[in-house]
Amino acid sequence: MTTEVEVAVERAVAVEERPWPPPQGQWTYQDYLRLPNDGMQYEIIKGVLYMVPAPTTEHQRASRNLEFQMWEFARRHHLGEVFDAPTDVYLPGQETPVQPDILFVAAGRAGIIQERGIEGAPDLVVEILSPRTWWQDRKIKLPLYEETGVPECWIVDPDQGAIEVYGLERGAYALLGHWERGEVVVSRVLPGFQVAVDQVLGPAPSSTG
C-alpha cells in the first residue's frame, strides 16, 4: 500500500525530472510554483506561460483609482470584498491561477475567498490594458472569464480613454456599455455603483497645436 509520504516523494521526483522550462502548452501548477519572484507577472493559461514586466505608472494609477472607488462602495454598502493584483484566482476547471488587476467577490460568496487566493469565479474582474498586455487581456483572458462564468468583466483602456463592461447573457459575454472621457460607467453586478472615466484615468492628456 502506497503511503502519502511515498506519493509526495514520487511527485517531487517527477517535478525534478521534468524539462525546465517546459514546452509551451505543457506548463502545470507545479511549474507555476517554481517560477521566480523577480518582478515579472507570470500567468499560465491552458498550459501556456505568459510573462509581462511590472506594470507602468499609468496602469497603476488607473488600478488604484478604480479599486478605491469600488472598495469604498462595496464597504459602505456591505456588498463584499475587493482585491487587487497579485491575487491568485483559481477559475473553475483551470489547473493554474490567473491574476486580474482588480476583482470583486460578493458577500454571499465569501466562502470562495481562501488563504491561497480565490477558489472560484469572482463576481467581477477588471483588466487594465497596456501596450504589453492588451492582446493577452482581450484575446486570452476575456474569453477565459466568459468560459468560466465570471458574471462581469471590465476592460480599462488608458490609451483610448475608454472603459468597456461585458456581462454574461446566456453563457456568453455581451457588451453592456462603452464609456469614454466625460461619461460615467455603471455596473450590473454592483447596482448603484457609478464611476466617471476621468476619475479612473485621470485628466485627459493636453494637446498642443
Side-chain angles (χ1 to χ4, degrees):
M1 182 176 180
T2 303
T3 67
E4 293 184 3
V5 172
E6 290 172 328
V7 170
V9 170
E10 289 175 2
R11 288 177 177 172
V13 170
V15 169
E16 290 299 320
E17 290 178 349
R18 281 176 57 78
W20 187 263
Q24 285 287 45
Q26 297 182 24
W27 284 80
T28 67
Y29 180 67
Q30 293 301 319
D31 297 325
Y32 175 74
L33 295 178
R34 294 178 63 185
L35 290 167
N37 183 15
D38 57 3
M40 297 282 286
Q41 181 179 353
Y42 296 95
E43 290 180 306
I44 298 171
I45 301 175
K46 298 185 184 296
V48 176
L49 174 68
Y50 297 90
M51 301 178 293
V52 295
T56 64
T57 53
E58 180 181 52
H59 177 287
Q60 293 300 80
R61 287 192 189 103
S63 179
R64 175 197 63 204
N65 294 343
L66 180 54
E67 182 193 8
F68 175 78
Q69 296 292 331
M70 281 190 173
W71 175 84
E72 176 61 23
F73 184 84
R75 182 197 63 80
R76 187 167 63 249
H77 297 284
H78 310 287
L79 297 177
E81 289 198 63
V82 176
F83 297 87
D84 62 2
T87 300
D88 282 342
V89 175
Y90 297 84
L91 295 167
Q94 305 301 306
E95 180 188 5
T96 51
V98 293
Q99 296 179 347
D101 289 315
I102 303 170
L103 66 97
F104 165 74
V105 177
R109 302 182 63 241
I112 70 172
I113 303 172
Q114 299 295 318
E115 184 65 26
R116 74 168 185 166
I118 309 301
E119 303 279 355
D123 294 271
L124 184 155
V125 297
V126 178
E127 295 293 350
I128 301 169
L129 307 185
S130 72
R132 294 173 290 194
T133 67
W134 73 266
W135 189 90
Q136 178 184 338
D137 290 337
R138 282 197 179 276
K139 304 298 184 181
I140 304 297
K141 297 180 77 175
L142 182 62
L144 180 67
Y145 296 141
E146 177 185 57
E147 174 190 335
T148 54
V150 177
E152 188 168 296
C153 179
W154 290 38
I155 299 292
V156 179
D157 190 339
D159 284 349
Q160 297 300 315
I163 297 175
E164 295 174 349
V165 176
Y166 294 85
L168 277 182
E169 294 186 355
R170 298 181 180 179
Y173 272 155
L175 179 62
L176 303 181
H178 173 101
W179 293 270
E180 299 182 354
R181 292 185 181 278
E183 299 178 325
V184 175
V185 187
V186 297
S187 169
R188 189 162 65 182
V189 164
L190 287 168
F193 177 68
Q194 298 184 358
V195 62
V197 174
D198 293 314
Q199 280 183 285
V200 177
L201 299 181
S206 59
S207 58
T208 56

